[in-house]
């Protein structure tokens, strides 16, 4: 069971990656990325990516935030979405 920072259960998690000893998961149909402690299931950080490419700016047919990829640089991740024509290189702040 995964518990979000507000105490509610995390649901609709998708696209999991293991990064720096933590599990990263996006939340289906939301532009959110969760950082989860793998042993406790506690969400330690939530990143809101809604301003990365706002839904109002996305063309018709573009789908949800849904892609996470780790890189050789432990400080860099790549994120994208379903049917997106772009990928973003990001560094997560503590």
């Amino acid at each position: 069971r995964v518990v979000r920072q507000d105490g509610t259960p995390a649901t609709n998690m998708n696209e999991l990656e293991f990064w720096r000893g933590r599990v990263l998961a996006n939340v289906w149909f939301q532009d959110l990325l969760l950082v989860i402690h793998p042993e406790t299931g506690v969400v330690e950080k939530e990143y809101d990516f809604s301003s990365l490419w706002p839904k109002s700016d996305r063309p018709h047919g573009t789908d949800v935030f849904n892609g996470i990829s780790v890189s050789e640089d432990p400080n860099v991740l790549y994120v994208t979405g379903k049917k997106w024509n772009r990928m973003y290189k990001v560094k997560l702040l503590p």
Side-chain angles (χ1 to χ4, degrees):
R1 177 178 144 127
V2 176
V3 180
R4 293 185 62 174
Q5 292 183 313
D6 64 3
T8 61
T11 59
N12 300 322
M13 289 179 294
N14 186 32
E15 187 64 35
L16 303 174
E17 288 288 342
F18 194 72
W19 176 74
R20 294 181 150 195
R22 298 297 184 257
V23 176
L24 300 178
N26 76 289
V27 179
W28 189 246
F29 293 109
Q30 296 181 35
D31 293 342
L32 291 176
L33 181 68
L34 307 179
V35 180
I36 306 162
H37 190 284
E39 294 178 17
T40 65
V42 172
V43 173
E44 297 178 334
K45 186 80 176 172
E46 298 187 19
Y47 291 94
D48 181 350
F49 283 97
S50 61
S51 64
L52 186 64
W53 192 20
K55 291 179 182 179
S56 60
D57 294 347
R58 299 176 198 168
H60 180 73
T62 309
D63 213 337
V64 297
F65 177 78
N66 174 10
I68 310 164
S69 180
V70 297
S71 71
E72 290 181 9
D73 181 341
N75 297 312
V76 172
L77 297 171
Y78 294 94
V79 296
T80 189
K82 284 274 195 214
K83 301 181 183 178
W84 286 20
N85 62 357
R86 57 192 72 195
M87 183 183 311
Y88 296 90
K89 181 178 179 180
V90 298
K91 291 183 179 184
L92 300 181
L93 299 174

